[in-house]
Amino acid sequence: MDPIAAAAALLTTAAPQDPGYRTLWSPVDRVGSSTSPDGTITVDLPAEAFRAGLDEQDAHLALQQLAHTVTATASSTGLLPQNAEPEVVVLVDGRAREEVFGSVRLDQPLRPDGNLEAPLWLLDPREGPHPEGAVEISGRALEGVDDVRWAVLDEDGATVAGGSVSTTARDDGTVGFRTEVELTPGRYGVTVTGRDAEGVTVRDDGAVEVVAG
């Protein structure tokens, strides 16, 4: 399964770790996807993925979750053309313009709604093995997020490296950050934190495995 299809399938099967959250999808293990040169991502989901009877607001949130997930996956895996403005076409068992969740017809491509985007987003390091040496830590944040800091923790939870990063304005209205850290073979957790415009701490987490070169 390609990364976009795998991410969409995981979206339907992964259970929220926080009991205060719930999933709006039914689990499926069969998802198709393709990406066109103009940045259009097509995702083909089985009908059983769409829970019946969602109200319009919940249906909108579920579809935005899908749009953000697959566009982020396409971007982080290099499947999205540079400078493309991605949109997502959703098929249901290969059919276009279907009604889903009992309340929404898929008659227009989806675009990720920036108002629903996480304030801080870790893009690298990507999942999978990385050679020993410099590992890139990068991501983006919404405008207004300040004091962005990063930390790398070993398997015991001890901090092995960390620091602050400067942010650079991006064309999409967010700010980007990037740094590198030298890591020896092992498994590590990566955390980035910042403060939003109201002074609330925001964060994102990732993991990386470093292998001997």
Side-chain angles (χ1 to χ4, degrees), residues 25-206:
W25 295 88
S26 295
V28 296
D29 58 8
R30 175 176 56 85
V31 179
S33 75
S34 63
T35 305
S36 69
D38 66 356
T40 298
I41 301 167
T42 300
V43 180
D44 189 359
L45 288 158
E48 56 266 28
F50 302 89
R51 291 190 174 185
L54 290 189
D55 61 32
E56 188 173 346
Q57 180 179 2
D58 280 350
H60 172 70
L61 291 174
L63 292 171
Q64 278 296 310
Q65 184 185 20
L66 176 66
H68 276 86
T69 297
V70 299
T71 55
T73 301
S75 177
S76 64
T77 56
L79 296 175
L80 197 62
Q82 189 173 11
N83 299 321
E85 295 185 5
E87 58 182 20
V88 182
V89 174
V90 181
L91 306 180
V92 182
D93 289 324
R95 300 186 300 272
R97 301 176 61 84
E98 291 290 286
E99 184 176 283
V100 295
F101 297 123
S103 59
V104 175
R105 184 164 298 280
L106 299 169
D107 54 2
Q108 296 292 332
L110 304 174
R111 287 186 178 272
D113 184 349
N115 293 323
L116 300 176
E117 190 170 354
L120 187 62
W121 192 359
L122 182 65
L123 295 175
D124 287 299
R126 301 174 185 175
E127 292 186 7
H130 290 251
E132 181 178 7
V135 174
E136 179 178 319
I137 298 173
S138 66
R140 63 179 182 173
L142 300 184
E143 289 187 354
V145 174
D146 297 316
D147 193 24
V148 178
R149 298 178 177 272
W150 61 276
V152 176
L153 293 78
D154 63 18
E155 291 186 276
D156 297 323
T159 300
V160 298
S164 60
V165 294
S166 58
T167 55
T168 304
R170 294 161 48 106
D171 293 338
D172 60 4
T174 64
V175 293
F177 59 87
R178 180 185 179 280
T179 189
E180 289 186 347
V181 57
E182 294 281 335
L183 294 176
T184 57
R187 294 180 181 273
Y188 300 90
V190 181
T191 297
V192 290
T193 60
R195 291 183 294 106
D196 67 13
E198 298 179 352
V200 177
T201 298
V202 293
R203 65 180 289 166
D204 195 12
D205 301 284

Side-chain angles (χ1 to χ4, degrees), residues 14-30:
Q17 294 181 344
D18 189 329
Y21 290 87
R22 61 194 174 98
T23 181
L24 299 172
W25 295 88
S26 295
V28 296
D29 58 8
R30 175 176 56 85

